[in-house]
Amino acid sequence: MDSFPFTQTSNFVGLLSSQQSISFANYEDSTLSSSQVPTLVTDDVGERRERRKWTPTDDVVLISSWLNTSKDPVVGNEQRSGAFWQRIAAYFAASPKVAGCEGREPGHCKQRWHRINDLVCKFCGAYESATREKSSGCNENDVLKRAHEIFYNNYKKKFTLEHAWKELRNDQKWSDLSTAKSQGVSKKRKCDDGGDSSSSQAAETKRPAGVKASKKSIVEDKNLKDFQSMWSIKQQDLAMQERLSKLSLLDSLIAKKEPLADYEEALKKKLISELM
């Protein structure tokens, strides 16, 4: 009777021990499995490739690609945006200056160009302001330094695309931008001084024909050449018909058996001198 309670107690302790070992085993398994997940995610992130940054050489090639593509007198930039930027991306990839480098997608070229265009236009304004402030003894480097200061004061950031500005500053679009600003300031000053504003107007720069005008001119030139060619052929046909008519008349005069009248004889001699 005394051993039966002890046996029950020992069995109960053994049951608790077995349940605790199972619980700890399950906890270790779950901890191990959960620790493996971040490792896989970390590996995936590490394998991602960073996008190549735009270098000054890339910018120069992109500018050249945009200028050559947009100035095509037949195609120009009046085509669908996708096709236009695909041509620029292809032109960019074909440049030997970026040979062996990672290619640029059309969308990347578009985004970069819009950034370059925006900042260069702003710097053109700053450079024009620095030019107007130029005093005696200042050289080109002084004006450029002042332009950077004006740009920083206006936009609270440094201008880092000087290489792009040097490529575009002499192009007609950006030259006209600076010329228009300088002419506007000059007109305003002369009007304030009481001068005649009409006499102060500078000769406007003649812009090249646009895409539509170029296409129209090409079509008109082709139509004119076609008309001239047709008119030349027509004239040759008329001359040939006239010659055949004269030959036929001469044959009829020569074939006459009776003596020819004076006017017929004169006509015959004239035909012979013209045809022979």
Side-chain angles (χ1 to χ4, degrees), residues 68-227:
N68 283 279
T69 304
S70 63
K71 289 185 177 181
D72 189 330
V74 178
V75 180
N77 59 358
E78 290 191 5
Q79 56 184 314
R80 292 187 176 181
S81 177
F84 177 73
W85 289 106
Q86 283 178 0
R87 291 187 66 200
I88 292 179
Y91 195 102
F92 181 94
S95 175
K97 294 182 179 180
V98 294
C101 298
E102 180 185 356
R104 298 290 188 180
E105 296 295 329
H108 299 161
C109 294
K110 181 179 180 180
Q111 293 175 1
R112 184 61 177 177
W113 168 253
H114 286 324
R115 176 173 174 79
I116 291 174
N117 183 38
D118 177 60
L119 293 178
V120 168
C121 287
K122 291 177 179 177
F123 188 77
C124 284
Y127 184 83
E128 185 58 34
S129 299
T131 303
R132 292 196 300 269
E133 297 176 4
K134 182 180 179 181
S135 58
S136 59
C138 293
N139 55 26
E140 177 65 19
N141 291 332
D142 296 331
V143 175
L144 187 59
K145 182 179 179 181
R146 177 56 183 158
H148 278 280
E149 293 176 354
I150 295 174
F151 183 92
Y152 182 81
N153 292 334
N154 290 341
Y155 304 105
K156 308 305 178 185
K157 61 182 178 180
K158 293 183 179 180
F159 180 69
T160 59
L161 296 176
E162 186 175 327
H163 57 279
W165 172 75
K166 289 180 179 180
E167 291 292 323
L168 293 170
R169 62 178 298 193
N170 296 322
D171 189 80
Q172 185 170 7
K173 173 184 175 181
W174 288 268
S175 298
D176 290 348
L177 179 64
S178 298
T179 303
K181 290 184 177 180
S182 61
Q183 287 180 354
V185 173
S186 177
K187 291 178 184 178
K188 183 178 179 181
R189 287 179 178 174
K190 290 186 177 182
C191 290
D192 292 341
D193 295 339
D196 186 4
S197 60
S198 61
S199 62
S200 65
Q201 292 180 355
E204 295 183 358
T205 305
K206 185 178 180 181
R207 297 179 65 86
V211 176
K212 292 182 179 179
S214 298
K215 289 181 179 179
K216 183 179 179 181
S217 177
I218 292 174
V219 172
E220 290 177 351
D221 291 343
K222 184 177 183 301
N223 292 339
L224 179 60
K225 290 180 181 179
D226 293 342
F227 175 78

Side-chain angles (χ1 to χ4, degrees), residues 40-51:
L40 295 175
V41 175
T42 304
D43 292 341
D44 292 340
V45 173
E47 293 177 356
R48 291 179 182 176
R49 181 176 54 186
E50 294 183 359
R51 182 184 299 177

Side-chain angles (χ1 to χ4, degrees), residues 238-267:
L238 292 174
M240 183 61 67
Q241 290 178 5
E242 184 180 2
R243 180 178 178 83
L244 292 175
S245 177
K246 290 180 179 180
L247 286 172
S248 178
L249 179 58
L250 179 61
D251 290 341
S252 63
L253 292 174
I254 293 174
K256 275 191 175 182
K257 295 182 180 180
E258 62 273 10
L260 299 176
D262 293 340
Y263 74 89
E264 290 178 332
E265 189 66 32
L267 179 59

Side-chain angles (χ1 to χ4, degrees), residues 10-11 29 42 69 81 104 184 239 270-271:
S10 61
N11 292 338
D29 293 340
T42 304
T69 304
S81 177
R104 298 290 188 180
K270 182 181 179 181
L271 292 172

